């Protein structure tokens, strides 16, 4: 795992126990966590960090670009570690499961559409809302 102390310092944040623990939880997770999910994991590990602190730290991390906030279905915010690798998301409308994917053809087509309309893409976020196929 990356050095959490160094990550916090590079982001201009003071190294504190809650920040370290929350950063570690997010870094070890291979998905998307809500503030409540992070809080539950802290409780399960016996760490005394309040829910208000979790929300505050996640907002600080978002501002420092350590994490990315997503408001998928219903405005419920979830967080994932920020990376240099672009990916898009599919959200199952039945289970709430979030699937990350990357498709070179989709990326190429989006750039073509922007160019055809006299623009270039500076950033984008693609979320597909899906449901399981009926068998």
């Amino acid at each position: 795992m990356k050095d959490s102390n160094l990550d916090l310092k590079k982001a201009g944040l003071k190294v504190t126990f809650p920040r370290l623990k929350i950063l570690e939880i997010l870094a070890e997770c291979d998905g998307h966590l809500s503030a409540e999910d992070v809080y539950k994991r802290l409780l399960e590990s016996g760490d005394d960090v309040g829910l208000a602190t979790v929300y505050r730290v996640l907002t600080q991390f978002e501002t420092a670009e350590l994490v990315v906030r997503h408001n998928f279905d219903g405005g419920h915010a979830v967080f994932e570690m920020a990376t240099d690798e672009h990916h898009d998301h599919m959200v199952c409308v039945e289970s709430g499961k979030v699937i990350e994917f990357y498709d070179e053809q989709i990326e190429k087509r989006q750039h073509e559409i922007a160019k055809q309309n006299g623009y270039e893409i500076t950033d984008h976020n693609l979320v597909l809302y899906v449901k399981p196929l009926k068998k």
Side-chain angles (χ1 to χ4, degrees):
M1 188 174 82
K2 292 174 22 178
D3 183 358
S4 297
N5 288 354
L6 189 58
D7 289 342
L8 290 173
K9 288 177 184 176
K10 281 183 179 177
L13 296 170
K14 184 177 173 185
V15 177
T16 64
F17 177 77
R19 287 181 182 145
L20 282 173
K21 292 303 292 185
I22 293 168
L23 191 61
E24 287 173 10
I25 287 170
L26 290 168
E28 291 170 358
C29 172
D30 61 349
H32 302 75
L33 297 176
S34 68
E36 293 82 6
D37 294 331
V38 172
Y39 178 66
K40 286 177 192 169
R41 291 186 184 201
L42 288 165
L43 288 178
E44 289 167 2
S45 64
D47 295 314
D48 186 24
V49 177
L51 183 56
T53 300
V54 172
Y55 276 105
R56 185 174 55 255
V57 168
L58 288 171
T59 300
Q60 292 167 346
F61 285 178
E62 180 184 14
T63 301
E65 298 181 348
L66 291 173
V67 301
V68 177
R69 175 192 306 254
H70 299 284
N71 291 303
F72 294 130
D73 197 26
H76 185 70
V78 293
F79 299 85
E80 68 176 325
M81 292 297 296
T83 67
D84 291 335
E85 296 178 17
H86 171 75
H87 61 270
D88 295 308
H89 297 91
M90 288 189 293
V91 179
C92 177
V93 296
E94 293 181 7
S95 69
K97 180 179 179 182
V98 178
I99 301 111
E100 295 179 353
F101 72 95
Y102 175 82
D103 185 287
E104 197 168 314
Q105 289 178 320
I106 291 173
E107 297 302 317
K108 182 179 177 189
R109 187 69 185 119
Q110 290 174 112
H111 286 279
E112 289 170 354
I113 291 168
K115 187 174 181 179
Q116 288 169 1
N117 287 280
Y119 294 94
E120 68 175 296
I121 295 176
T122 59
D123 192 18
H124 80 278
N125 185 9
L126 175 64
V127 181
L128 304 175
Y129 293 94
V130 299
K131 66 180 181 179
L133 293 172
K134 302 292 182 205
K135 292 183 180 182

